[in-house]
Amino acid sequence: MSVLILGATSPIARAIAGVYAEEGHAVYLAARDVAEAERIAADLKVRFGVRTGFGAFDATNLDAHAALVEQVESELGAIEVALVAFGDMGEQEESETDPSAARRVIDINYTGSVSVSELVAQKMIERSSGTIIGLSSVAGDRGRQSNYIYGSAKGAFALYLQGLRNRCFRSGVHVLTVKLGFVDTRMTYGMETAIPVADPADAALAIKRAASRGENEMYYPRFWRGIMGVIKVMPEALFKRLNL
């Protein structure tokens, strides 16, 4: 089985790549940092003896996405699992005053994710087989003043994945939406919170299990489903007064 990891240099992405490689699957690492993707690919090849590949991927360069998908299938065969793991939170204050900064956050987290997911989905639908795993965020469940540009893009991506899942169902292609809470990554570095921050390796195992079980949507850590359940039903008249 061939696995495509998009945004391969993030801690969660490289942990998931390791989980699949350990099971003997071929893995292709795609990322903006090609040198780091190459290093991860070499490491997985040495540790697990699997076929690996690597290449450049820029979420905002939509014209290059089709060529990348073709390159992966040329090197490693049909993509059976695709992980859409890239994202960029940006700076909320900058996005509020600079439209180009806001657009970049939206283009990376939504437009780029949709572009490459559609290309992979079409390949899988033609073969009636495959799994797409999309990493979204609990930030997409309800708009908050502290990160609503990023949150709205992730929320749109989660809605897109829901529609894609509906489209792909009868073709035997599965789509898993992952709504991440706090996981120890670059985005949460230095964050002060009373809520536990999850280990990327634990997240990787949970996501792989959810994909194998055919789950449609998961929160990770799992307790975030309860937290967001409360936040989502909070009356707007109260919610808008909170400093979140």
Side-chain angles (χ1 to χ4, degrees):
M1 186 168 77
S2 296
V3 180
L4 169 60
I5 308 289
L6 295 153
T9 58
S10 76
I12 292 181
R14 68 174 65 191
I16 293 175
V19 170
Y20 279 103
E22 189 172 13
E23 293 185 354
H25 303 300
V27 180
Y28 192 100
L29 294 306
R32 281 189 303 171
D33 188 342
V34 182
E36 182 63 9
E38 180 180 15
R39 193 197 68 75
I40 297 169
D43 176 66
L44 295 177
K45 187 174 184 178
V46 169
R47 284 199 289 149
F48 303 115
V50 297
R51 291 188 300 150
T52 61
F54 64 92
F57 174 74
D58 183 342
T60 63
N61 187 6
L62 306 188
D63 292 339
H65 291 182
L68 173 69
V69 172
E70 295 296 335
Q71 177 66 26
V72 175
E73 298 217 330
S74 173
E75 286 190 30
L76 298 182
I79 299 168
E80 280 298 309
V81 175
L83 172 71
V84 182
F86 54 86
D88 190 338
M89 188 177 293
E91 296 292 338
Q92 174 64 28
E93 291 184 359
E94 182 183 15
S95 293
E96 292 171 7
T97 57
D98 182 354
S100 64
R103 178 176 177 177
R104 177 172 172 75
V105 172
I106 293 167
D107 283 349
I108 291 174
N109 293 290
Y110 181 65
T111 312
S113 298
V114 170
S115 169
V116 72
S117 296
E118 283 295 300
L119 292 166
V120 172
Q122 190 56 43
K123 292 279 188 184
M124 291 180 173
I125 289 170
E126 290 171 1
R127 293 190 287 264
S128 299
S129 177
T131 298
I132 296 173
I133 305 169
L135 300 192
S136 184
S137 168
V138 296
D141 274 9
R142 190 157 189 181
R144 295 181 294 121
Q145 61 180 294
S146 61
N147 67 355
Y148 61 84
I149 300 296
Y150 169 75
S152 63
K154 283 298 191 183
F157 182 47
L159 190 62
Y160 161 78
L161 291 170
Q162 189 178 47
L164 182 64
R165 180 163 47 247
N166 188 222
R167 173 194 172 199
C168 292
F169 173 68
R170 287 178 177 79
S171 300
V173 177
H174 180 61
V175 178
L176 168 63
T177 304
V178 181
K179 295 185 176 183
L180 294 172
F182 297 153
V183 180
D184 188 11
T185 65
R186 179 175 57 85
M187 289 188 185
T188 58
Y189 178 76
M191 179 183 293
E192 295 182 5
T193 173
I195 301 175
V197 177
D199 187 290
D202 294 336
L205 289 172
I207 292 168
K208 170 62 170 56
R209 282 196 295 267
S212 298
R213 288 196 294 258
E215 291 186 27
N216 296 316
E217 179 187 274
M218 68 174 291
Y219 286 79
Y220 194 85
R222 299 280 187 177
F223 60 75
W224 274 96
R225 181 178 293 277
I227 294 175
M228 296 314 300
V230 172
I231 290 177
K232 285 192 291 185
V233 300
M234 193 175 294
E236 189 69 15
L238 170 62
F239 189 77
K240 68 182 181 182
R241 289 176 167 77
L242 301 179
N243 186 27
L244 297 174

